[in-house]
Amino acid sequence: MSLDRFVAICHPLRYPAVLRAGLCLRLAAASGAVGFGHSVWLSTLTLRCRSAAPCDPPLSLPPTLVLRSYACIAPPSSEAVCKGRRKALGREAPISSGDALMARLLPDEVTGSLEESNGSAEDGFFLVGFSDRPQLETVLFAVNLPLYVVAVLGNSTIILVCVLDPGLHTPMYFFLANLSFLDLCFSTSCIPQMLVHLRGPAKTISFAGCAVQLSSFLTVGGVECILLAVMAYDRYAAVCRPLRYAVLLRPSLCFRLVAVAWGSGLLNAGVMSPLTMALPRCGRRRVPHFLCEMPALIKMACADARAVELLAFAFAVLIVLLPLALILASYGHIAAAVLRMRSAAGRWKALNTCSSHLAVVSLFYGSIIYMYMQPGNSSSQDRGKFLTLFYNLGAPVLNPLIYTLRNQEVKAALRRALGRQQKRFPLSS
């Protein structure tokens, strides 16, 4: 923002050329990525260090750039007349520290008892998972290992086909490739570690590993919710506005929509992950789950965490419920358009176009809504573990199958890819 003010005051005639829309999006994406990495690293480092040896590294680069920008602003402002000087100085907004968010959201007893949680920071956490059922662990390992391999191979195949086949360079398959990448991240963030825990007696995870897993989980989950809403808009444009489809979903807009999805997911993780990990747990290390999930970590807190729960609810409304409302609105318009069609072939084509995405949305949102509507007893906690396992592994396995079996264009692209490989490497008779 100091660069923006510097250009506005020192180079007003070149302002639109210097700060064009593409550069602004790249700067915002870079700041979001750097802030996310900084929050995960610094919150982990701060909670692991002792009070006698402060280890908060000075972040001198951004303040240096801000001071440098305002040093360049000062000379032109001093040469201006009083009216112009007031106008220039009136544009400058007060600079606040992002660290105030932690102090405002966490109550005094939380911030004052971080030393009590150093035990979990040094020793890590114990993931209970399915350890109370040793026989079930063996069955789960035998089932989940091949499913994870299928998920990795299936989603990797979808990504490669969408990238390499020119016939699939359309908005729908651009979003599909991003969805497959998210499914890869979703399953890889927790399934390999769960498989290790299922096979051995060790069920622990380090504090840093738990923070990274929680951040990855929140990021990918938030991005996928918004991406599914974007894909619903894509289907709405294809069915209800077919003649304007290329204009409504031009490549630049598609990139912006995906950037918004990733930015929202990174913001969700960058805020909620440090706040959740900073909660004092008074030596409690047993996480009643097979991964570091935010609700389970919040329930372990030994202080008032209502502020964190309220913020989590606000993010859930914005990232989960609002995209779901947009999806329902899109399909409401699609259903109305299909009912107005007189041709049975046209209706079938429209329904076939939306069926794959509708199935994926039903799997993803159905499992989430059912899981978080369960009461807090032990049986519902067991069901919650299996539902979490389903949308971490079951959905990534089923999504490529849904889009491959139901989509003729993807099947044709796979046949073309296999045909090229056979021509390149013919089998010797």
Side-chain angles (χ1 to χ4, degrees), residues 5-69:
R5 296 300 85 202
F6 162 72
V7 177
I9 294 175
C10 300
H11 300 283
L13 299 180
R14 298 184 59 196
Y15 184 82
V18 175
L19 287 171
R20 54 193 182 276
L23 178 62
C24 293
L25 286 174
R26 285 193 287 271
L27 290 174
S31 63
V34 172
F36 170 69
H38 167 256
S39 66
V40 175
W41 169 63
L42 192 56
S43 62
T44 304
L45 182 64
T46 303
L47 292 175
R48 288 179 65 87
C49 61
R50 299 186 182 275
S51 58
C55 56
D56 191 359
L59 300 179
S60 59
L61 181 58
T64 302
L65 296 177
V66 172
L67 293 176
R68 175 62 179 165
S69 298

Side-chain angles (χ1 to χ4, degrees), residues 128-137 203 286 382 385:
V128 176
F130 305 95
S131 57
D132 54 341
R133 303 176 183 179
Q135 296 180 347
L136 181 60
E137 286 188 327
K203 314 289 184 183
R286 293 175 61 87
D382 291 339
K385 293 178 186 178

Side-chain angles (χ1 to χ4, degrees), residues 155-175:
N155 287 286
S156 301
T157 301
I158 293 291
I159 295 172
L160 290 175
V161 169
C162 291
V163 171
L164 298 178
D165 194 286
L168 300 183
H169 290 176
T170 61
M172 173 182 174
Y173 296 106
F174 172 70
F175 297 138

Side-chain angles (χ1 to χ4, degrees), residues 327-387:
I327 291 172
L328 295 177
S330 297
Y331 276 101
H333 287 286
I334 290 173
V338 169
L339 292 176
R340 288 195 300 266
M341 294 179 181
R342 298 181 179 180
S343 171
R347 291 182 180 180
W348 175 254
K349 182 179 179 180
L351 293 175
N352 192 48
T353 301
C354 303
S355 60
S356 298
H357 177 257
L358 194 57
V360 170
V361 169
S362 301
L363 287 174
F364 184 78
Y365 274 100
S367 58
I368 290 179
I369 292 173
Y370 180 78
M371 181 179 67
Y372 286 103
M373 287 180 63
Q374 296 296 309
N377 52 43
S378 59
S379 60
S380 65
Q381 289 180 359
D382 291 339
R383 285 196 295 269
K385 293 178 186 178
F386 284 105
L387 284 170

Side-chain angles (χ1 to χ4, degrees), residues 91-335:
R91 292 182 179 183
E92 314 309 322
I95 301 174
S96 61
S97 172
D99 295 336
L101 177 64
M102 184 78 75
R104 290 194 178 193
L105 289 176
L106 291 180
D108 294 338
E109 60 269 21
V110 176
T111 55
S113 57
L114 288 178
E115 293 182 0
E116 298 179 4
S117 64
N118 279 342
S120 61
E122 295 175 359
D123 302 329
F125 296 98
F126 179 83
L127 299 177
V128 176
F130 305 95
S131 57
D132 54 341
R133 303 176 183 179
Q135 296 180 347
L136 181 60
E137 286 188 327
T138 305
V139 175
L140 288 175
F141 179 85
V143 173
N144 291 328
L145 178 60
L147 286 179
Y148 176 67
V149 174
V150 171
V152 171
L153 293 177
N155 287 286
S156 301
T157 301
I158 293 291
I159 295 172
L160 290 175
V161 169
C162 291
V163 171
L164 298 178
D165 194 286
L168 300 183
H169 290 176
T170 61
M172 173 182 174
Y173 296 106
F174 172 70
F175 297 138
L176 177 58
N178 279 273
L179 180 65
S180 297
F181 177 71
L182 289 173
D183 285 337
L184 273 178
C185 296
F186 230 140
S187 55
T188 306
S189 65
C190 62
I191 297 301
Q193 184 184 51
M194 187 196 72
L195 292 174
V196 173
H197 288 175
L198 289 175
R199 285 296 295 169
K203 314 289 184 183
T204 58
I205 182 173
S206 66
F207 184 87
C210 186
V212 171
Q213 187 180 77
L214 176 63
S215 300
S216 303
F217 194 76
L218 292 176
T219 300
V220 177
V223 175
E224 185 155 352
C225 288
I226 298 177
L227 185 64
L228 289 174
V230 172
M231 295 176 73
Y233 173 71
D234 170 79
R235 295 300 83 204
Y236 159 77
V239 175
C240 302
R241 301 287 187 270
L243 299 180
R244 300 187 60 197
Y245 181 78
V247 177
L248 293 176
L249 284 164
R250 53 193 181 277
S252 60
L253 179 61
C254 294
F255 280 106
R256 290 194 188 100
L257 291 173
V258 172
V260 168
W262 276 99
S264 302
L266 289 171
L267 177 64
N268 178 36
V271 174
M272 294 310 306
S273 179
L275 291 176
T276 303
M277 299 304 295
L279 290 172
R281 295 175 179 86
C282 304
R284 299 173 186 171
R285 299 178 55 229
R286 293 175 61 87
V287 181
H289 218 294
F290 64 86
L291 78 163
C292 290
E293 192 185 35
M294 185 173 65
L297 293 173
I298 291 177
K299 289 180 181 178
M300 293 170 58
C302 59
D304 187 7
R306 285 176 294 181
V308 179
E309 291 176 342
L310 182 61
L311 186 61
F313 176 77
F315 270 105
V317 171
L318 294 175
I319 293 181
V320 180
L321 297 183
L322 182 59
L324 179 60
L326 296 176
I327 291 172
L328 295 177
S330 297
Y331 276 101
H333 287 286
I334 290 173

